[in-house]
């Protein structure tokens, strides 16, 4: 009955996030290279008549890229989304969306003026009814076709440069599986040749902002199709876990009694079919994943290669990672040392922060430990444990942001691997989001984590926050100015006292009106700071 009611809600609610907007997946839009659909509220492109936004040329970053991808003009994801569209909606104020019909994250209301803060909670802190509702929402998403978005089943060249569109429908859950695949897939070079050292969502600075956007969009999509505006993604705090405690039929599916590689038939996740897992087949055929079903979810937690991933991450691993002061370093890829991002992603040792790609730490360790669908990058989002895991990874990112309070300039502006510079648009999201836009505290994006919550601030404190933040950013200059001011004041005070003492020792009648030349030469204007 619950699922039937949710299905009915889908008819009256529109989804709003994803990859290719259905309204732009046609010959006319591709040939014109324009994706500026009308907003239903007034029928004008981008809601322009209501001052929500306007159709504008896309401004691409010209900052140089790192050396990891030595090609140009061979991948549709280069300079995203310009291969497909060079004009999209630019929304004003707090409006957002491919047609400016949405509110930015953290805002709500008819005119997107109301601030809203939602809280993500530990899955084991949910009541039984809350947990069952979350599982039902997942199943609804798996069985509900996306109304606003489709996926590309061919490259732009295979589409004959737009004159032969190749798109397909997809359900809401698999839409996000496909997006994760598309961002991390190999580059097809023709014949059977591919380039593997490319990933627009991993192994570089954008790893954390990209997955932050991914979760926000996924969360909003669930709110839309269920009509539950208060829905938030729960997280699994896996620190010091001895096994996969969410891998039970009560939660994310237990182990099959006779086949340890698949899920228990008592879990409805056992009937789920995965997509986008056969990367080698796509590479040989030079095709994209078309969302065809490819079998059940695979998962055999704990029976992984212990030489690569000996254990699940510990609290000490997380705390050491949080102590790192550099967000990114060196080549800004999986070989980076002393990089918070690379250590949290799991390519650097969580005890030393030295890169060691033969081992899997933190984020990567959990993926490898699951020993199945989660362990292959491109298809890892097929397993619903993925969202619980990445919500907790995002919470660690949030802890680091709060502890170190980095300025936006800390995020690399240039020379990062392709797609990962600060001003690059994230692949494959439409509407467009830049990496740097999500290098900020979660509260500014409308959500918080239950275990990180701080006392509520009163309105006066909230008023002061931006000014205190500006003062924090220039505190070193303020202290320096105060020290210099103190020294100058001391010097001037000394000179004044000396002059007064000299004046007292000279009769006013015989005191010269001008300083003698030899006295003038003895005065020093040097100051040493």
């Amino acid at each position: 009955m619950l699922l039937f009611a949710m299905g009915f809600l889908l008819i009256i609610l529109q989804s709003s996030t994803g990859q290719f907007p259905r309204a732009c997946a046609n010959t006319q839009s591709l040939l014109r290279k324009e994706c500026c659909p009308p907003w239903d509220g007034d029928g004008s492109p981008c809601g322009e008549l209501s001052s929500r936004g306007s159709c504008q040329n896309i401004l691409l970053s010209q900052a140089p890229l790192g050396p990891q991808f030595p090609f140009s003009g061979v991948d549709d994801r280069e300079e995203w989304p310009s291969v497909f569209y060079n004009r999209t909606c630019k929304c004003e104020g707090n409006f957002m969306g491919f047609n400016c019909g949405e509110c930015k994250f953290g805002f709500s209301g008819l005119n997107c003026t109301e601030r809203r803060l939602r809280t993500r909670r530990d899955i084991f802190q949910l009541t039984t009814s809350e947990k069952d509702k979350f599982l039902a929402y997942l199943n609804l998403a798996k069985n509900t076709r996306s109304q606003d978005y489709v996926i590309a089943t061919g490259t732009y060249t295979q589409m004959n440069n737009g004159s032969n569109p190749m798109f397909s429908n997809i359900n809401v859950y698999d839409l996000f599986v496909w997006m994760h695949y598309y961002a991390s897939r190999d580059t097809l070079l023709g014949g059977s040749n591919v380039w593997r050292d490319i990933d627009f969502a991993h192994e570089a600075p954008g790893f954390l902002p990209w997955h932050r956007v991914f979760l926000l969009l996924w969360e909003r999509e669930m709110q839309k199709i269920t009509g539950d505006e208060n829905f938030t993604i729960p997280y699994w705090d896996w620190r010091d876990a001895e096994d996969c405690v969410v891998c039970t039929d009560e939660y994310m599916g237990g182990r099959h009694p006779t086949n340890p590689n698949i899920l228990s038939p008592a879990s409805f996740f056992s009937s789920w079919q995965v997509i986008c897992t056969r990367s080698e087949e796509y590479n040989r055929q030079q095709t994209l994943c078309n969302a065809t079903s490819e079998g059940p979810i695979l998962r055999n937690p704990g029976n992984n290669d212990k030489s690569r991933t000996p254990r699940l991450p510990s609290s000490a691993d997380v705390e050491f990672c949080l102590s790192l002061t550099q967000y990114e370093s060196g080549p800004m890829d999986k070989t980076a040392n002393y990089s918070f991002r690379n250590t949290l992603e799991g390519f650097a040792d969580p005890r030393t922060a030295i890169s060691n790609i033969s081992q899997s730490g933190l984020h990567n360790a959990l993926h490898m430990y699951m020993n199945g669908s989660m362990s292959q990058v491109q298809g890892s989002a097929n397993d619903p444990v993925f969202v619980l895991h990445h919500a907790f990874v995002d919470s660690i990112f949030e802890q680091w942001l709060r502890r170190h309070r980095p300025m936006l300039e800390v995020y690399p502006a240039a020379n990062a691997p392709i797609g990962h510079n600060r001003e690059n648009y994230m692949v494959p999201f439409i509407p467009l989001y830049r990496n740097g836009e999500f290098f900020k505290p979660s509260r500014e994006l409308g959500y918080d984590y239950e275990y990180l919550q701080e006392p509520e601030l009163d309105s006066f404190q909230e008023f002061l926050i931006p000014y205190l933040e500006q003062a924090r950013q220039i505190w070193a200059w303020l202290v320096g100015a105060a020290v210099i001011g103190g020294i100058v004041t001391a010097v001037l005070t000394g000179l004044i006292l000396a002059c007064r003492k000299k004046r007292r020792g000279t009769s006013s009648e015989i005191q010269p009106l001008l300083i003698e030349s030899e006295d003038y030469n003895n005065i020093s204007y040097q100051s040493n700071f």
Side-chain angles (χ1 to χ4, degrees), residues 62-263:
Q62 301 301 311
L65 301 171
Q68 293 85 353
F69 187 69
F71 304 97
S72 178
V74 299
D75 194 310
D76 292 347
R77 300 167 296 177
E78 295 177 53
E79 298 188 326
W80 180 260
S82 62
V83 169
F84 296 96
Y85 312 108
N86 54 32
R87 286 174 61 81
T88 60
C89 288
K90 179 176 174 55
C91 304
E92 301 296 334
N94 295 328
F95 298 116
M96 188 183 84
F98 64 82
N99 62 357
C100 300
E102 295 278 314
C103 294
K104 282 184 177 179
F105 301 116
F107 290 89
S108 62
L110 189 62
N111 295 311
C112 302
T113 55
E114 301 169 19
R115 281 196 170 273
R116 184 158 191 172
L117 185 69
R118 297 179 176 89
T119 302
R120 293 178 180 172
R121 300 167 59 198
D122 188 321
I123 191 168
F124 293 111
Q125 298 302 314
L126 303 181
T127 65
T128 300
S129 61
E130 289 171 334
K131 179 263 297 178
D132 290 344
K133 183 168 66 173
F134 168 61
L135 299 181
Y137 285 0
L138 286 170
N139 212 37
L140 176 66
K142 188 72 170 180
N143 291 280
T144 300
R145 192 184 81 167
S146 174
Q147 296 296 295
D148 284 351
Y149 283 88
V150 292
I151 61 167
T153 56
T155 65
Y156 191 67
T157 298
Q158 291 167 348
M159 294 185 195
N160 197 20
N161 297 329
S163 62
N164 179 35
M166 298 173 66
F167 298 98
S168 178
N169 293 319
I170 194 166
N171 68 61
V172 171
Y173 188 92
D174 286 349
L175 171 65
F176 286 85
V177 176
W178 189 91
M179 287 194 292
H180 191 266
Y181 146 80
Y182 190 80
S184 56
R185 70 175 178 85
D186 301 331
T187 294
L188 306 177
L189 296 175
S192 59
N193 299 315
V194 297
W195 184 262
R196 300 179 189 276
D197 190 15
I198 184 171
D199 195 316
F200 290 83
H202 305 86
E203 303 179 11
F207 166 67
L208 293 167
W210 191 96
H211 285 84
R212 174 162 280 196
V213 174
F214 180 90
L215 292 178
L216 281 167
L217 295 176
W218 192 90
E219 198 168 57
R220 177 167 289 190
E221 193 74 2
M222 299 296 281
Q223 293 163 0
K224 285 287 183 178
I225 68 171
T226 63
D228 184 354
E229 293 185 354
N230 296 314
F231 170 78
T232 56
I233 300 171
Y235 58 86
W236 170 29
D237 183 347
W238 34 248
R239 290 174 296 184
D240 304 314
E242 295 183 0
D243 54 33
C244 181
V245 290
V246 297
C247 298
T248 65
D249 289 336
E250 183 182 1
Y251 286 92
M252 311 310 290
R255 200 186 303 267
H256 192 281
T258 60
N259 184 348
N261 294 316
I262 59 177
L263 303 184

Side-chain angles (χ1 to χ4, degrees), residues 262-281:
I262 59 177
L263 303 184
S264 163
S267 168
F268 57 64
F269 293 123
S270 65
S271 65
W272 279 25
Q273 291 284 302
V274 301
I275 65 170
C276 302
T277 62
R278 300 175 179 172
S279 57
E280 293 307 313
E281 180 180 319

Side-chain angles (χ1 to χ4, degrees), residues 434-499:
R434 299 183 191 272
N435 289 306
E437 292 173 3
F438 294 84
F439 192 72
K440 63 174 65 172
S442 66
R443 282 174 169 266
E444 296 182 29
L445 299 167
Y447 72 100
D448 200 354
Y449 287 95
E450 189 173 44
Y451 81 107
L452 299 180
Q453 282 184 322
E454 300 167 352
E456 290 292 330
L457 300 175
D458 60 34
S459 57
F460 180 69
Q461 287 176 304
E462 290 184 345
F463 171 77
L464 286 177
I465 282 176
Y467 301 101
L468 293 173
E469 179 62 19
Q470 290 180 23
R472 181 191 67 80
Q473 294 178 4
I474 62 172
W475 72 271
W477 295 101
L478 292 175
V479 171
V483 171
I484 293 173
I487 294 173
V488 170
T489 300
V491 170
L492 291 176
T493 301
L495 290 173
I496 292 171
L497 291 175
C499 289

